[in-house]
Each structure stands twice: as C-alpha cells, then as structure tokens.
Amino acid sequence: QILAIELSRNAVERGRQELPSVEWYSGDVGPTLKRLPKLSGPGLVVLDPPRTGVTRQVVEELLVLKPIECFINNIFFKL
C-alpha cells in the first residue's frame, strides 16, 4: 500500500493519472495524517518538506505510525 499526501491539488490530480495504484490525499501533511484511517507501521516514510521544515506536529504524527525507515529530503535514518 502506498499513500501520498501533497498540498497541491494539481499535483494530486496529476499523480492520480500517472500513478493510479497510489492513494493520493490533498492537503497539509499534519492535519491530513490525523484524518487518515489508522495505518499499521509503514516500512518507509518519504518527506519533501518546504524550506521552513517539518513541524513538530508532523513529526509526532509520524512517530505514532512507527515507520521502520524515514527519508526526509536528502536525510535518511532508521527509527
């Protein structure tokens, strides 16, 4: 199962056309993660945050998911 969260609605529409096997969600990552059905520990999380970085709320939401690995815009680490 692959999920994608993207702020840009245009990018989501294009993603749905080009990658139909991915579940696409449009919105800010923090609030969108909260409204998703409970996920069971993803193997990998990939983030490409804005220049302002990832908010504490997003980090806390991701830690609840307990991913095995995380890739944040050129930073890779195992949790």
Side-chain angles (χ1 to χ4, degrees):
Q1 179 182 22
I2 301 173
L3 305 177
I5 301 172
E6 170 59 53
L7 187 59
S8 166
R9 290 178 194 251
N10 290 337
V12 169
E13 289 174 20
R14 186 171 180 186
R16 286 179 177 150
Q17 292 171 359
E18 294 181 10
L19 299 167
S21 61
V22 174
E23 290 181 48
W24 289 88
Y25 296 89
S26 179
D28 187 69
V29 174
T32 303
L33 277 174
K34 284 188 172 189
R35 70 179 169 90
L36 289 179
K38 291 298 175 201
L39 304 171
S40 59
L44 175 67
V45 171
V46 178
L47 292 175
D48 185 15
R51 290 178 191 210
T52 56
V54 179
T55 66
R56 182 180 191 100
Q57 174 193 10
V58 170
V59 171
E60 289 173 358
E61 291 292 327
L62 289 174
L63 289 175
V64 168
L65 296 176
K66 298 180 181 173
I68 297 169
E69 299 175 332
C70 190
F71 179 83
I72 304 177
N73 200 19
N74 297 324
I75 302 170
F76 177 79
F77 57 92
K78 289 186 179 225
L79 298 175

